[in-house]
């Protein structure tokens, strides 16, 4: 649980329900306007939050409003971090944490860490190791590093004709090595 100084109630992280998608899209619009995530606004944002590989999703809620989101997806072709992870010897299969964001007003209060921890825990409960990638220019990379996530390296992806994007790829710390606070 986390708290927002403007609220006396703690934020909670819970499984995402279909009824949450409008709130998720509204929070995503705030994040996109403030921080440029996602880099390209999806034509169908609710569908973007529910990819075919989705294993589970969570929302962070504060005072009845969705203020954050995280998804856990099965690794697939084109998942840069999963590909790098799978190339290492003697590693459990990966699961990809994606669509992780927190509304600008709710940042700095542990909401992102709570969402990340919930998704990573769900991956581990499935016998999978959590991985993720982030656009190299995105300051979110520092958040993952503070949480103890280790760099797997970088990858270049084609995001359309003639458009190449550099991604930083990360793996969660092993459970016997606690994440930083």
């Amino acid at each position: 649980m986390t708290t927002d100084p403007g609220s006396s109630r703690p934020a909670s992280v819970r499984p995402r329900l279909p009824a949450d998608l409008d709130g998720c899209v509204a929070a995503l619009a705030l994040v996109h306007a403030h921080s440029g995530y996602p880099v390209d606004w999806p034509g169908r944002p609710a569908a973007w939050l529910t990819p075919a590989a989705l294993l589970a999703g969570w929302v962070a809620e504060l005072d009845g409003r969705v203020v954050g989101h995280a998804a856990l997806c099965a690794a697939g072709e084109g998942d840069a971090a999963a590909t790098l992870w799978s190339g290492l010897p003697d590693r459990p299969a990966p699961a990809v944490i994606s669509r992780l964001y927190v509304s600008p007003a709710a940042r700095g209060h542990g909401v992102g860490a709570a969402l990340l921890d919930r998704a990573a825990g769900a991956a581990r409960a499935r016998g999978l190791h959590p991985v993720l990638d982030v656009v190299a220019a995105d300051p979110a990379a520092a958040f993952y590093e503070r949480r103890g996530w280790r760099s797997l390296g970088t990858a270049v992806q084609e995001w359309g004709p003639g458009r190449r994007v550099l991604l930083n790829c990360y793996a969660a710390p092993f459970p016997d090595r606690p994440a930083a606070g």
Side-chain angles (χ1 to χ4, degrees):
M1 298 294 216
T2 57
T3 57
D4 176 8
S7 170
S8 60
R9 296 177 23 178
S12 62
V13 174
R14 60 171 175 75
R16 188 186 80 193
L17 303 172
D20 294 322
L21 283 172
D22 286 344
C24 292
V25 169
L28 182 63
L30 294 171
V31 171
H32 181 70
H34 179 271
S35 309
Y37 177 83
V39 172
D40 296 321
W41 182 254
R44 295 177 47 226
W48 183 80
L49 291 169
T50 310
L54 183 71
L55 298 173
W58 298 269
V59 295
E61 192 175 48
L62 182 64
D63 293 331
R65 288 184 345 269
V66 172
V67 296
H69 178 273
L72 181 67
C73 296
E77 187 176 328
D79 287 323
T83 299
L84 290 174
W85 175 258
S86 296
L88 299 172
D90 303 319
R91 302 291 178 172
V96 180
I97 296 176
S98 67
R99 279 52 167 183
L100 173 59
Y101 59 89
V102 175
S103 294
R107 291 181 185 171
H109 303 290
V111 175
L115 285 163
L116 183 64
D117 291 348
R118 179 69 63 94
R124 289 185 175 109
R126 293 170 182 261
L128 304 170
H129 193 85
V131 299
L132 57 83
D133 58 54
V134 60
V135 173
D138 192 326
F143 165 74
Y144 300 118
E145 291 170 7
R146 282 192 312 273
R147 300 289 308 151
W149 286 58
R150 295 190 332 212
S151 174
L152 295 170
T154 59
V156 176
Q157 283 191 339
E158 297 285 337
W159 283 11
R163 185 166 177 219
R164 301 178 73 167
V165 179
L166 182 64
L167 302 174
N168 289 330
C169 300
Y170 292 92
F174 279 96
D176 62 340
R177 294 181 217 140

